[in-house]
Amino acid sequence: MKLVGVDVGGTFTDVMYSDSVDRKVIIHKVPTTGDDPSRGVMTGILELCTRNGIDAADIDYVFHGTTIATNAVLEYRGAEAGMITTKGFRDIIHIGRHQRPQHYSIMQEIPWQDRPLVRRRHRKVVTERLAPPNGAVLVPLDEDEVRVAARELKARDVQSIAICFLFSYLNSMHEDRARAIVLEEHPDAFVTTSSSVVSQFREFERFTTAAMNAYIGPPVRNYVQQLDKALRGAGMRAELRIMRSNGGVATPATISEFPVLTLLSGPAAGVLGGAVCGALSGRRNLITFDVGGTSADIGVTNEGVFSEASARDTTIAGYPVLVPMIDIHTIGAGGGSVAYIDAGGSFHVGPRSAGSVPGPAAYARGGQEPTVTDANVVLGRLDKDNFLGGAMSLDVEGAHKVVGEIARTLGLSVDEAAAGIVTILNSNMANAIRSRTVQKGIDPRDFSLMAFGGAGPLHGAEVADMLGIPEVIVPAFPGITSALGLLASELKYDAVRTQFQVSTDLDVARLNTNFTQMERDILQQFEADRVPAGDIALRRFADARYVGQGYELRIDIGQGTIDGPAMQEAFAQFHRIHEAEYGHAFPESPIEIVNIRVTGTAPSPQLEWPRSTAGGSREKALVKVASTKFRVDGALRAFDTAFYRRADLPVGTALSGPAIILQLDATTVVPPNWSFTADPHGNLILTAGVAR
């Protein structure tokens, strides 16, 4: 089986090829083409094939992580969207909830008000009403009003329409009928219903999620169709699979209908790739640390299982999103992050990035602002002749020039300014890790830091030092670990249904009926993807809380027919999870089930990972010894540092820092008082020495 994984980042597009027959893995990187990422994707695939004598027509699958949806939201450049909603609820997506993003700020930005996904003049209301608890029709849908609304939106050149009715999560019949009418009146529109995107209570979050699906729908659908067409135009027969935020992949047809599922496409693949690499070396407790040119993504894997974000935490660019997502925290920190001094004289690094064009000054593409990459060049940590495997030469003079300008403003030496840039970035990333570990009751010292991305290995050891983490793992291909994660992903679908039931008055028959219906729906999705029934695994979950609480925790519900003892075990599990999350539990209090969920997975073709041999030696791997700068005991000092070629390192032999390890897709920095070992699975294991 021949597989290709392609991850599009802010600076580079990463490509990984795997052949299960020859046990061959090949990597390639090309600059991201921001105006049309599909051009970079195709360039990367075809260049890799041409350079390695591979017939592109023989590739079986292309797995792809895309940032199209995320960028459309972050840059506020989605489609002109409209909404048809229940009369009286036109402003739900503007009002939101009582909680503001910043409780005590009178000058805060509220995204859904400052940058509405659907402008008010494009929000239309119609007569209809369903009634809880079962979704019975209280007021019939006024179909004439729907037609009028659709015509008005079409006349205003609205490209995409979200249909959001108040109790549609209980009964979708009104939304389904309204969708059919809209398509009759406006057949070219992208039409989405809130019940099809997320059949769940909390109308503000459900409406906003549907509005976001409408907002990003046309650009994502066009991109997926364009990429699929480009693959066919290049003579490739490979099936395309797109990474979802939940850690699974889906077909182009699914993503074209529900693009909101891809909002964390690339970062989710990074968590999977980090977990795969850690498992090869027997590490199952990992903090994944994915640092690229623009951002740093942090995830936590506990005993090999990644956590899923809860309803209270799932936001993108400040907008609440009710779709399954791996719990990933992203900050604007990367190799391209720009260093600057604000109007008050404070020194900052990021979140603004120089991107790939013009990029850092060291790229010699016209960049005129100091970046983290420039600072690393000044400190001697990036070798000008061995960047991207020697494919790109760095402009050392240009890096010194831009860092020197900010150094003069600060009254520092160039080296001190460069070290300051790196320290600020490292501190920002360490604080981001604390927010996902220490602030959640997790001790980061019990985990290994899995450092990847183009810049993760550059900063991993120093960030680990700040957190007391004793071990850093750098995978075999750190710069393209997200692409590796794509090749390790599964086909995955989720279903959710609101189900208010209390433990003291449980309707077990209703639970069984609803779980069976949801499982049937998921099996139909897999059937449409031509997946054999025997390859599908189904898991059941419930979102539960103590009666009176505002948010839920997720618990497992066993397979098979649900009975009283099974639910008692599930409720006991809830008490344990609640105590682990909050430090206390109330075993005598009744528990309310809010939502039930089913997750279906089917294995995708998996990459075959070659095992390293004991070949290589320190002498063969040594490229040179040169001066680099590190801050030790508060002082910035120059050290004679060995530069090694990673492919030639001896396996199983411990070597001491300081050291710089060179390879095509990343540079690894081993500070003084750290050591490192190349293990048989291709990972570098960096180990902290004496505390400083």
Side-chain angles (χ1 to χ4, degrees):
M1 190 72 72
K2 295 177 173 62
L3 313 175
V4 167
V6 187
D7 178 61
V8 178
T11 305
F12 290 103
T13 294
D14 306 325
V15 187
M16 174 177 278
Y17 168 85
S18 169
D19 186 337
S20 60
V21 176
D22 297 335
R23 296 183 67 84
K24 181 189 296 182
V25 173
I26 303 171
I27 65 171
H28 187 49
K29 294 174 79 75
V30 296
T32 293
T33 50
D35 59 322
D36 177 10
S38 68
R39 289 195 296 109
V41 171
M42 293 307 303
T43 298
I45 294 173
L46 296 178
E47 281 187 3
L48 182 147
C49 291
T50 300
R51 294 181 181 184
N52 295 279
I54 297 167
D55 187 348
D58 291 339
I59 295 172
D60 298 292
Y61 285 89
V62 172
F63 296 90
H64 180 36
T66 173
T67 56
I68 291 291
T70 310
N71 291 341
V73 177
L74 294 175
E75 299 171 15
Y76 195 59
R77 51 175 181 82
E80 191 69 58
M83 176 181 285
I84 298 175
T85 189
T86 306
K87 187 172 291 184
F89 294 88
R90 180 184 188 187
D91 293 320
I92 282 288
I93 64 169
H94 177 87
I95 296 170
R97 294 192 172 275
H98 291 298
Q99 306 103 313
R100 301 184 300 173
Q102 301 170 42
H103 289 295
Y104 304 109
S105 171
I106 61 173
M107 299 294 290
Q108 67 181 289
E109 175 191 64
I110 300 177
W112 53 87
Q113 295 179 359
D114 297 338
R115 301 185 305 279
L117 298 170
V118 180
R119 290 187 282 183
R120 193 172 194 272
R121 62 178 172 270
H122 293 156
R123 301 200 292 264
K124 304 295 181 180
V125 297
V126 299
T127 301
E128 72 86 34
R129 183 61 67 89
L130 303 174
N134 299 316
V137 177
L138 191 64
V139 178
L141 174 67
D142 191 319
E143 297 189 2
D144 291 336
E145 289 182 0
V146 176
R147 290 191 187 277
V148 170
R151 290 168 185 166
E152 289 176 352
L153 292 173
K154 181 180 180 181
R156 291 183 178 181
D157 293 325
V158 170
Q159 309 166 31
S160 185
I161 299 172
I163 299 171
C164 305
F165 293 156
L166 189 59
F167 289 107
S168 61
Y169 66 88
L170 297 172
N171 183 347
S172 67
M173 63 179 293
H174 282 178
E175 282 194 352
D176 295 339
R177 178 56 186 150
R179 182 180 189 275
I181 293 170
V182 170
L183 287 173
E184 290 173 10
E185 299 293 336
H186 193 356
D188 295 329
F190 181 95
V191 184
T192 188
T193 64
S194 72
S195 57
S196 66
V197 175
V198 52
S199 186
Q200 194 171 333
F201 83 118
R202 292 194 173 103
E203 61 272 9
F204 167 55
E205 290 83 359
R206 177 163 50 90
F207 284 16
T208 300
T209 304
M212 184 171 289
N213 198 62
Y215 183 71
I216 64 177
V220 172
R221 180 179 61 183
N222 293 343
Y223 172 75
V224 170
Q225 292 175 349
Q226 184 175 332
L227 178 58
D228 200 42
K229 182 179 179 181
L231 291 169
R232 308 297 159 241
M236 297 179 65
R237 298 187 294 269
E239 291 193 40
L240 178 62
R241 294 288 185 268
I242 310 294
M243 189 72 190
R244 295 176 53 180
S245 307
N246 67 352
V249 290
T251 60
T254 297
I255 298 305
S256 294
E257 186 175 359
F258 303 114
V260 74
L261 300 176
T262 67
L263 285 167
L264 288 181
S265 178
V271 174
L272 291 179
V276 169
C277 294
L280 290 172
S281 296
R283 273 67 168 184
R284 293 171 55 80
N285 290 345
L286 301 168
I287 298 169
T288 57
F289 181 62
D290 180 4
V291 188
T294 304
S295 62
D297 303 312
I298 291 102
V300 177
T301 300
N302 197 338
E303 289 300 318
V305 179
F306 53 79
S307 57
E308 190 171 291
S310 65
R312 63 184 180 272
D313 296 326
T314 49
T315 61
I316 296 293
Y319 302 94
V321 182
L322 280 183
V323 294
M325 293 184 179
I326 293 178
D327 190 5
I328 299 170
H329 183 50
T330 301
I331 63 169
S337 293
V338 174
Y340 66 97
I341 300 170
D342 68 15
S346 296
F347 190 10
H348 297 270
V349 180
R352 187 166 59 86
S353 172
S356 59
V357 179
Y363 286 5
R365 293 174 177 164
Q368 299 296 319
E369 297 178 290
T371 68
V372 174
T373 295
D374 297 312
N376 278 308
V377 170
V378 169
L379 295 173
R381 301 180 184 185
L382 290 173
D383 186 10
K384 71 180 184 70
D385 297 321
N386 285 283
F387 189 70
L388 290 181
M392 181 178 182
S393 181
L394 296 175
D395 182 358
V396 176
E397 184 178 338
H400 275 82
K401 178 182 176 182
V402 294
V403 176
E405 290 171 357
I406 201 169
R408 284 190 293 274
T409 304
L410 293 168
L412 300 173
S413 69
V414 176
D415 288 345
E416 286 286 355
I421 291 171
V422 170
T423 299
I424 291 173
L425 184 89
N426 289 342
S427 297
N428 291 342
M429 295 189 292
N431 285 334
I433 293 174
R434 287 188 186 98
S435 74
R436 313 317 288 175
T437 54
V438 176
Q439 294 179 19
K440 290 178 173 287
I442 298 171
D443 189 343
R445 295 172 296 184
D446 296 333
F447 289 71
S448 298
L449 187 70
M450 175 63 71
F452 57 95
L458 266 172
H459 300 270
E462 290 182 329
V463 170
D465 254 346
M466 292 178 173
L467 296 163
I469 297 174
E471 181 179 83
V472 175
I473 303 174
V474 180
F477 303 112
I480 61 168
T481 301
S482 289
L484 183 154
L486 290 166
L487 298 183
S489 59
E490 299 176 309
L491 201 62
K492 187 174 183 179
Y493 290 111
D494 297 279
V496 60
R497 182 175 296 184
T498 291
Q499 175 106 162
F500 289 111
Q501 291 208 49
V502 181
S503 58
T504 53
D505 185 23
L506 204 61
D507 186 344
V508 175
R510 183 178 161 208
L511 278 174
N512 279 306
T513 299
N514 287 333
F515 270 124
T516 300
Q517 290 173 347
M518 294 165 70
E519 289 173 345
R520 187 181 302 122
D521 292 341
I522 284 183
L523 291 172
Q524 287 176 351
Q525 289 180 289
F526 281 115
E527 185 179 353
D529 294 338
R530 304 188 303 278
V531 176
D535 292 344
I536 302 167
L538 298 172
R539 290 190 66 189
R540 297 171 173 179
F541 304 92
D543 297 337
R545 63 191 182 187
Y546 290 121
V547 172
Q549 284 186 316
Y551 286 94
E552 307 81 47
L553 296 171
R554 192 155 301 163
I555 58 176
D556 281 286
I557 303 293
Q559 293 301 116
T561 301
I562 298 170
D563 55 18
M567 290 310 302
Q568 289 305 312
E569 171 55 34
F571 292 141
Q573 179 192 154
F574 171 80
H575 294 306
R576 293 193 298 270
I577 294 173
H578 194 282
E579 185 164 17
E581 183 78 12
Y582 299 112
H584 57 268
F586 305 100
E588 304 304 319
S589 296
I591 297 169
E592 182 180 33
I593 294 176
V594 175
N595 302 308
I596 57 174
R597 300 173 179 270
V598 174
T599 296
T601 56
S604 294
Q606 300 288 296
L607 68 95
E608 293 288 338
W609 196 254
R611 187 179 175 89
S612 300
T613 65
S617 65
R618 181 185 183 280
E619 293 72 22
K620 182 180 178 181
L622 185 64
V623 175
K624 65 178 183 180
V625 175
S627 177
T628 61
K629 283 91 175 177
F630 292 92
R631 194 178 296 281
V632 176
D633 297 326
L636 187 65
R637 293 167 45 194
F639 289 84
D640 289 334
T641 302
F643 284 64
Y644 296 104
R645 189 176 295 106
R646 180 166 180 175
D648 294 326
L649 286 171
V651 173
T653 300
L655 300 173
S656 299
I660 306 294
I661 303 165
L662 308 169
Q663 62 186 110
L664 169 66
D665 55 322
T667 297
T668 300
V669 170
V670 183
N673 298 327
W674 279 70
S675 62
F676 66 98
T677 305
D679 79 359
H681 305 284
N683 291 326
L684 280 179
I685 311 296
L686 280 58
T687 306
V690 180
R692 294 180 292 284

